[in-house]
Amino acid sequence: MQMRREWTQAERQVLSVWGYLSFLVGAVAMAMLAPGSRVFVVLGLVVSFCVLFCTGSLRLLRHARFWLLIALALFLSPFFIGEKDVTLWGLRLSRQGFWAGLWMTGRALSIGLAFNGFARRVSVAELATLLEGVGLKGLGFALGVAFNALPIIQEAAGDAYTAMRLRGGFRRQRFVALKKLLVTIVASSLRRGEEIVDAAEARAFDPARAQGRLARPTRADLLLAFALLCCNLAILLPPY
Amino acid sequence: MTKLTTRDLTTIAIFGAIWGALEITLGSYLHVIFPPLTTPLVGTGTIMTGIGMIIALMGYLFVPKTGAVLMIGVVTAILKALSIGGVKLSPMLAIIIECLLAEAGLVLARKPSRWGFVLAGALAVLWTFFHKFFGSYVFLGRAITEVYLGMLKQGSQALGIDVSLALVIIAAFLLIRIAVGAVAGWLAWELGGAVRGRLAR
């Protein structure tokens, strides 16, 4: 447990948010550019990076919905892409569609894992600081409020729905009832928002002031960015 | 981007959270119940963008400043990233692009108006048509012509007309999206006014 914590701390020190961002951009670019079977080289690189630097990101593979999407791309492609030139168990399938589906699967897996790795390692606060750096001032505050507003909205929606149902609100004119429900949810969420505004202003919060400082790129970040650039160029090289 | 006050940011956060909550719950379920291939003309993406635009444009009524809709979209996209399973980069990009297009519509309209909302909504939902090409090329590596032919085939089956009437099929795709977006804009104006009335009581 102790070793695991130390290793996690070491991961944090080696790469900064810039490193993980370059990994995401580089991986997406490689997955897009990789011709045919080379997409599985990209997948290998992404999985290796995730194992080394993004602990826990491979948990995405445990989600049934993720595999459902992958299975859809893999199994439906022979039916919808290309000329049907093979018959298997009485089904007319396309060989071109099968290969296209396989490469699509590789691409989807690479991009999905790269994004999950990025999301695992870069905190919402770091992401907000990064976006504030490109001009979206106050985004960090807005995100914090949005996260805290989710249970408020859930509560408001639950209360409004129950109250309307108890009064027979959805028995007829369902569209009108739905409109009233939405208005009630928004209005009560905005009323609760007033309390947040008061609390923030009482603490002298100023959206114009930078809320956090973005880390400078480390040497490892630059090295990783260079390595990813080389990998992107190598992927584009024609085969022997 | 116009300077935003604490109240503006809180309002943006609340509208972003409402859209985000809908994306995480309703959006995720609809995507599983209606996979893209089963709903060629009006997919889950179109419906969710329409609903999202109602929320985002209602938000603009309370924060009528340039960049407010984009901020709502960014908050929603980040909340979407935290939802369960699936490849989330494509819907996140779609949300941000749609909000940029809605912003463009609002800039063209100059000041908040019903027709400005209709234009913004139509522009935003129109992206769902082009996102199919963009998403398939970027995330799945499918050629644009391949997607186009597949779309024509699905469209011809759904409309019950011949594939050779490509222009009619594409026009149907575009018109449906424009109509959904326009209705979303119209409803946003109506509902925003109703919320204002409720808050003023």
Side-chain angles (χ1 to χ4, degrees), chain B residues 87-102:
Chain B
V87 180
K88 293 162 240 159
L89 196 57
S90 175
M92 280 174 73
L93 274 177
I95 289 168
I96 293 170
I97 296 169
E98 283 151 11
C99 286
L100 277 169
L101 288 168

Side-chain angles (χ1 to χ4, degrees), chain A residues 32 65 76 104 107 111 115 137-138 141-143 145-147 153 182 184 186-187 189 191 193-194 197 207, chain B residues 4 7 9-10 13-15 17-18 32 37 71 75 78-79 82 84 89 92 138-142 191 198-199:
Chain A
M32 275 168 59
R65 256 196 77 213
L76 292 180
M104 272 185 213
R107 255 180 209 104
I111 294 173
F115 179 71
K137 286 262 179 250
F141 173 75
L143 272 174
V145 174
F147 277 109
I153 292 161
L182 185 63
T184 311
V186 175
S189 304
R191 274 199 198 107
E194 280 301 308
V197 175
Chain B
L4 298 163
R7 180 163 277 100
L9 286 171
T10 307
I14 284 169
F15 281 100
I18 294 173
V32 173
L37 289 169
M71 279 278 266
V75 170
I78 293 175
L79 289 180
L82 301 166
I84 48 154
L89 196 57
M92 280 174 73
V138 173
F139 300 105
L140 300 173
R142 287 175 70 183
L191 293 170
R198 181 77 65 90
L199 288 172

Side-chain angles (χ1 to χ4, degrees), chain A:
Chain A
M1 190 71 186
Q2 186 61 33
M3 241 176 80
R4 175 106 218 118
R5 200 172 297 139
E6 280 166 11
W7 169 236
T8 312
Q9 277 169 356
E11 281 176 358
R12 276 189 194 286
Q13 284 159 6
V14 174
L15 294 171
S16 74
V17 61
W18 295 107
Y20 293 108
L21 184 67
S22 57
F23 160 66
L24 176 68
V25 174
V28 171
M30 271 196 287
M32 275 168 59
L33 297 170
S37 60
R38 283 190 196 184
V39 78
F40 286 98
V41 178
V42 179
L43 181 60
L45 286 171
V46 169
V47 170
S48 312
F49 184 90
C50 285
V51 168
L52 286 171
F53 297 101
C54 313
T55 331
S57 62
L58 296 176
R59 276 186 206 149
L60 175 71
L61 304 177
R62 287 190 205 158
H63 289 293
R65 256 196 77 213
F66 180 72
W67 288 110
L68 181 74
L69 286 171
I70 297 294
L72 273 175
L74 190 61
F75 295 114
L76 292 180
S77 305
F79 291 98
F80 294 100
I81 301 172
E83 283 296 310
K84 287 173 183 149
D85 51 358
V86 185
T87 307
L88 195 68
W89 298 311
L91 297 168
R92 296 282 296 144
L93 303 169
S94 149
R95 231 180 301 206
Q96 187 202 346
F98 169 76
W99 289 113
L102 199 63
W103 311 146
M104 272 185 213
T105 308
R107 255 180 209 104
L109 271 169
S110 306
I111 294 173
L113 287 175
F115 179 71
N116 211 41
F118 175 80
R120 276 250 154 209
R121 299 306 303 159
V122 177
S123 69
V124 173
E126 283 172 319
L127 192 61
T129 316
L130 195 73
L131 289 167
E132 281 196 0
V134 294
L136 292 172
K137 286 262 179 250
L139 185 73
F141 173 75
L143 272 174
V145 174
F147 277 109
N148 288 306
L150 284 174
I152 295 172
I153 292 161
Q154 193 189 5
E155 195 189 311
D159 290 349
Y161 181 72
T162 311
M164 284 180 81
R165 268 197 76 131
L166 287 173
R167 288 168 178 81
F170 290 97
R171 278 196 202 136
R172 58 183 81 154
Q173 290 186 312
R174 286 195 179 150
F175 184 67
V176 178
L178 211 60
K179 269 168 70 175
K180 281 183 182 161
L181 179 69
L182 185 63
V183 169
T184 311
I185 294 168
V186 175
S188 62
S189 304
L190 285 174
R191 274 199 198 107
R192 296 285 290 271
E194 280 301 308
E195 293 167 21
I196 300 170
V197 175
D198 291 341
E201 281 177 351
R203 286 174 178 82
F205 170 77
D206 180 12
R209 221 171 39 220
Q211 298 306 307
R213 285 184 64 156
L214 202 59
R216 285 167 67 96
T218 63
R219 252 183 226 175
D221 292 334
L222 298 173
L223 204 67
L224 177 69
F226 180 70
L228 283 163
L229 188 69
C230 293
C231 286
N232 266 293
L233 291 173
I235 283 286
L236 284 173
L237 282 178
Y240 293 116

